Amino acid sequence: MRRAVVTGGGTGIGLAVAQRLLADGDEVVIVGRRRDVLERASAGAMGVEVADLREPDEVQALADRLGAVDVLVLNAGGMLARTGDGLQATAEVWLDEFRLNVLTTVLLGEALLPRMTRPGGRIVALSSVAALRGAGSYGAAKAAVNSWVTGTAASVAADGITVNAVAPGFVPDTEFWTGRLDDDEQARRVARIPAGRPGTVEEVAAAVAYLVSPDAGWTTGQVLGVHGGAVLARL
Ligand SMILES: NC(=O)c1ccc[n+]([C@@H]2O[C@H](COP(=O)([O-])OP(=O)(O)OC[C@H]3O[C@@H](n4cnc5c(N)ncnc54)[C@H](OP(=O)(O)O)[C@@H]3O)[C@@H](O)[C@H]2O)c1
């Protein structure tokens, strides 16, 4: 049985990934900051670890507790609302969004890299279509995630470890969109998707499941878009 770790596994896409890997036969540990959310999501079927993945000391302690890992899904992240005007507010949102998306990915990825199964280890990070769309500080942070993925993929390819990213488009059924969507905003976003509908958390989880499967052993350093055609076929 493989040992899988899913960060941000208590909600949204991360929870769907954790449930999919569990159904596929993996032993799964989910990580987040809110223990009650994780315990509820796990329902006794998954391991639970609490850590703020922006903090190096917390990440190191988590990595030491986790030990050997076969599958690592670096999903924790999100988009922040800017508060305030002026350059101070600009600096804060860019730095905070970088910490929320890039440090949560890179710190645990680097800490667990020496403990990943060789050969056969699988790492998938959650990026976004925003990395390709000029979407401000959030898009820039996800572009940095893509860069870490491609560089790390090259450095561990000879060890038989793959490192890829999944870049979803609009997937509303998550905490990411809590408080951000009224009917007009939802319709505006769907109108830009050639497939004519939003994505589901299960569809994103299916892409992750492929990339962590034995079948994907020669697929590495890739950013797989899961967005109903919203980038290359953009309306
Ligand atoms: N939904 C979309 O449309 C969409 C589109 C493109 C990309 N994405 C990406 O997909 C990923 C999953 O997002 P989602 O849509 O499923 O939203 P979500 O429900 O808000 O999930 C984010 C998860 O990350 C955890 N998390 C956040 N900061 C953390 C930290 N510092 N340390 C540990 N855990 C942390 C959260 O739990 P705690 O708050 O308890 O820590 C939460 O479970 C994110 O990287 C997001 O950027 C989402």
Side-chain angles (χ1 to χ4, degrees):
M1 185 184 275
R2 300 190 307 181
R3 187 139 196 276
V5 174
V6 182
T7 70
T11 65
I13 292 168
L15 176 55
V17 170
Q19 289 171 334
R20 170 67 191 257
L21 297 183
L22 195 65
D24 288 352
D26 293 337
E27 176 195 327
V28 179
V29 178
I30 52 177
V31 183
R33 290 168 299 182
R34 292 166 295 169
R35 180 173 291 282
D36 58 327
V37 169
L38 294 167
E39 300 280 7
R40 219 172 20 250
S42 151
M46 303 182 238
V48 162
E49 290 284 354
V50 176
D52 185 336
L53 299 171
R54 298 169 299 185
E55 301 298 332
D57 291 349
E58 289 195 39
V59 173
Q60 189 59 59
L62 171 67
D64 292 343
R65 292 196 299 278
L66 287 170
V69 173
D70 301 292
V71 173
L72 176 59
V73 182
L74 297 162
N75 161 81
M79 186 168 61
L80 298 171
R82 181 189 165 118
T83 51
D85 299 320
L87 284 184
Q88 192 57 40
T90 300
E92 275 164 19
V93 76
W94 277 75
L95 289 172
D96 287 349
E97 211 136 43
F98 191 89
R99 280 160 45 77
L100 174 58
N101 289 284
V102 185
L103 291 191
T104 55
T105 300
V106 170
L107 294 180
L108 189 61
E110 295 288 332
L112 288 178
L113 212 48
R115 300 167 198 210
M116 297 297 300
T117 308
R118 285 169 164 75
R122 296 277 186 271
I123 300 176
V124 174
L126 264 290
S127 179
S128 171
V129 291
L132 300 173
R133 282 186 150 183
S137 49
Y138 176 67
K142 291 303 192 184
V145 168
N146 291 352
S147 180
W148 178 79
V149 162
T150 52
T152 308
S155 73
V156 296
D159 293 341
I161 299 174
T162 67
V163 188
N164 291 288
V166 167
F170 180 46
V171 183
D173 194 15
T174 67
E175 286 190 357
F176 186 99
W177 292 105
T178 303
R180 282 203 168 104
L181 278 182
D182 56 21
D183 289 349
D184 285 352
E185 179 63 13
Q186 169 112 3
R188 195 181 66 76
R189 288 187 172 273
V190 170
R192 293 169 64 198
I193 303 171
R197 65 166 178 86
T200 67
V201 292
E202 290 81 10
E203 287 170 318
V204 180
V208 175
Y210 165 66
L211 289 171
V212 305
S213 74
D215 282 346
W218 210 47
T219 301
T220 196
Q222 301 305 299
V223 180
L224 175 58
V226 181
H227 45 53
V231 176
L232 295 178
R234 187 174 178 181
L235 292 174

